[in-house]
Amino acid sequence: MSLSMYSASVPVLKQMLGALSDVLAKAEAHATEKKIDPAALLGARLFPDMFPLVRQVQIAADFAKGISSRLGNTEVPSWPDNPEAGFAELQELIARTLAHVDSFSAGQFEGSDSREIVLRAGTPKEKKLQGDVYLLQYGLPQFFFHVTTSYAILRHNGVEIGKRDYMGNP
């Protein structure tokens, strides 16, 4: 039995976005309980040259909607990023992204393994990848990097989360 592009992407994106939502909820509760200004967590970074938590979550959502849209052969929706987003706005973004990812059927992904995916079309950074290479060597690694970094920022800042929180529920 072969693994479909849909099965290799949509359930994974949904699982990890759900876990990210739960981790953010725990972070918000932690900030309230410990009387920490939420902006301190939302602006936290692992190192000064890295993006803060808010941007990490936004990029993870961008990759989830991009992966599902490109492989599902539809336009990637454009949603504005708010650098001052709070926990509520990040939860709304994740919910909107989950709804978008969940809107695709397995049939929309048929043939996507060999479909040409063009990133940054018409720019000097234009990149063309075959669908399976895009998913496995670019899209998912990028998505996981930003989800993992979001988790690491919160764990580093004392939010009581662990591997089960990171993994979520399949």
Side-chain angles (χ1 to χ4, degrees), residues 95-114:
R96 186 176 346 134
T97 305
L98 276 166
H100 178 72
V101 170
D102 204 30
S103 73
F104 290 91
S105 69
Q108 289 175 273
F109 283 64
E110 287 182 20
S112 65
D113 58 325
S114 59

Side-chain angles (χ1 to χ4, degrees), residues 10-11 25 27 81 97 102 117 120 128 135 137 141 144 148:
V10 170
D81 290 326
T97 305
D102 204 30
I117 305 295
R120 299 176 199 92
K128 295 179 181 179
L135 175 64
Q137 296 177 23
F144 278 112
T148 302

Side-chain angles (χ1 to χ4, degrees), residues 27-28 31-32 35-44 53-54 85-87:
E28 184 174 25
T32 301
K35 298 183 182 7
I36 298 169
D37 180 0
L41 289 178
L42 295 163
L53 175 65
V54 166
F87 284 110

Side-chain angles (χ1 to χ4, degrees), residues 99-163:
H100 178 72
V101 170
D102 204 30
S103 73
F104 290 91
S105 69
Q108 289 175 273
F109 283 64
E110 287 182 20
S112 65
D113 58 325
S114 59
R115 183 179 307 131
E116 182 178 71
I117 305 295
V118 181
L119 304 172
R120 299 176 199 92
T123 71
K125 291 185 174 184
E126 182 174 284
K127 189 178 226 176
K128 295 179 181 179
L129 301 168
Q130 188 169 301
D132 58 350
V133 172
Y134 164 73
L135 175 64
L136 299 173
Q137 296 177 23
Y138 181 78
L140 285 179
Q142 292 278 356
F143 173 72
F144 278 112
F145 174 85
H146 294 286
V147 170
T148 302
T149 302
S150 298
Y151 167 88
I153 288 169
L154 293 172
R155 185 69 185 104
H156 177 74
N157 280 276
V159 178
E160 293 181 18
I161 50 179
K163 186 175 181 180

